[in-house]
Amino acid sequence: MTTYEMTTYELLVERREWAADGVVALTLRHQRGGPLPVWTPGAHVDVLLGPGLERQYSLCGDPADRSVWRIAVLREADGRGGSAYVHTEVRPGTRLRLRGPRNHFALEPAARYRFVAGGIGITPILPMLAAADRAGADWTLLYGGRTRASMAFTGELRRYGDRVTLRPRDEAGPLDLAPVVDDLPEGTLVYCCGTGPLLDAMEERCPAGALRVERFRPTAPRDGYDGEFEVVLARTGRTVGVPAGVSVLEAVRAAGVEVLYSCTEGTCGTCETDVVEGVPDHRDTVLTGAERAAGDTMMICVSRCRGRRLVLDL
């Protein structure tokens, strides 16, 4: 579904607490009470902090509790302002606008899981652990961070006992991925979220088809056709030219088409748009290999066309 139809909610910050050094957790609810939209482990929401300040954060609470949502925000020294705003301006009683949820990192059914989290990458993994545990699956978590104090939600993880392995880098050095990926039993799914180098290492070592990842940062640009092409807007029949060096998103917005977008880096999924005809040149870090091969949808902020013409559901 084209995402500009997604609903926006105004929620109240009910609670603000430290989940770790530099990580603040926010619990949000409807101002007038009532249930929040259903979500599943791996989902994230867009938080609209102000004009030009829109960020995505994973839901890390209990999907069964529809009275509240919880997100956790790491303050990034070299960030673009979103995390600093949350840490300095958002308090209990603050009203925040949120959009979503959406899920491109869904937990698929399996008998065995291996979870790997790096730093704030624990946030989408946390509700997955609870779901896997309730399902009676065989699972383990390898969780690394800079220091023990910087690793969020370690108190909540204690209830899982020795299924969880904590590896602070200042105590244990770099994460040893061998126990996770070597001799992986057939049918095991591996879920990983964290830094780019961690995800790159997992992609290099994991068996084909076993790994599911979520990235916070874009990967290196992919080779492909960067010249001009046409986009036909299926809802009106209008044709919009996309010049070289201009994204589909920029071109359609310049033509007056209202579409949702956020990161403009191909990592959040906000601008996902259905493809009616044509072959997209995928350059995002959201879609799986199978979804790219199907070509049914694309992230118009970064992806282009393998050819001269696309027809999009706009």
Side-chain angles (χ1 to χ4, degrees), residues 31-285:
Q31 298 181 65
R32 296 181 298 277
L36 291 166
V38 173
W39 63 280
T40 54
H44 71 260
V45 291
D46 303 326
V47 182
L48 286 62
L49 299 169
L53 200 60
E54 186 174 315
R55 299 293 183 265
Q56 293 71 45
Y57 299 110
S58 297
L59 292 170
C60 56
D62 178 4
D65 184 359
R66 295 186 58 194
S67 67
V68 294
W69 280 348
R70 183 175 70 170
I71 60 174
V73 181
L74 168 69
R75 180 155 190 172
E76 300 182 74
D78 58 348
R80 296 176 296 163
S83 67
Y85 182 93
V86 171
H87 276 249
T88 59
E89 303 296 331
V90 176
R91 295 289 183 270
T94 300
R95 289 172 171 80
L96 291 177
R97 292 174 62 228
L98 289 88
R99 187 171 56 228
R102 66 172 61 84
N103 198 342
H104 288 286
F105 193 43
L107 185 68
E108 302 171 27
R112 288 176 298 277
Y113 299 99
R114 298 295 177 260
F115 298 102
V116 180
I120 198 62
I122 189 62
T123 51
I125 299 293
L126 199 61
M128 292 184 180
L129 305 181
D133 207 53
R134 283 194 301 269
D138 171 6
W139 67 267
T140 61
L141 166 67
L142 176 62
Y143 179 20
R146 291 183 296 102
T147 65
R148 194 173 295 270
S150 73
M151 297 168 67
F153 303 116
T154 53
E156 295 183 22
L157 293 172
R158 290 193 189 104
R159 71 176 186 262
Y160 296 123
D162 61 5
R163 288 190 173 195
V164 173
T165 300
L166 302 182
R167 286 289 182 268
R169 189 166 60 246
D170 64 337
E171 299 176 20
L175 282 181
D176 179 9
L177 302 179
V180 176
V181 299
D182 291 356
D183 300 319
L184 200 65
E186 185 176 351
T188 303
L189 291 183
V190 182
Y191 280 78
C192 182
C193 185
T195 64
L198 171 61
L199 299 181
D200 292 343
M202 291 292 290
E203 289 179 339
E204 288 175 7
R205 298 190 60 165
C206 269
L211 182 63
R212 309 289 186 269
V213 302
E214 183 170 56
R215 290 183 179 268
F216 299 135
R217 296 285 184 270
T219 55
R222 301 172 186 272
D223 294 333
Y225 175 68
D226 289 318
E228 62 182 19
F229 57 95
E230 292 182 343
V231 167
V232 179
L233 311 181
R235 300 188 184 190
T236 63
R238 183 180 177 186
T239 297
V240 175
V242 181
V246 175
S247 70
V248 175
L249 173 65
E250 292 168 327
V252 298
R253 290 190 69 238
V257 180
E258 292 293 328
V259 291
L260 283 181
Y261 68 97
S262 180
C263 72
T264 68
E265 296 178 331
T267 61
C268 74
T270 304
C271 68
E272 182 176 6
T273 302
D274 291 341
V275 178
V276 180
E277 293 180 23
V279 181
D281 177 9
H282 296 292
R283 304 185 185 190
D284 65 278
T285 57

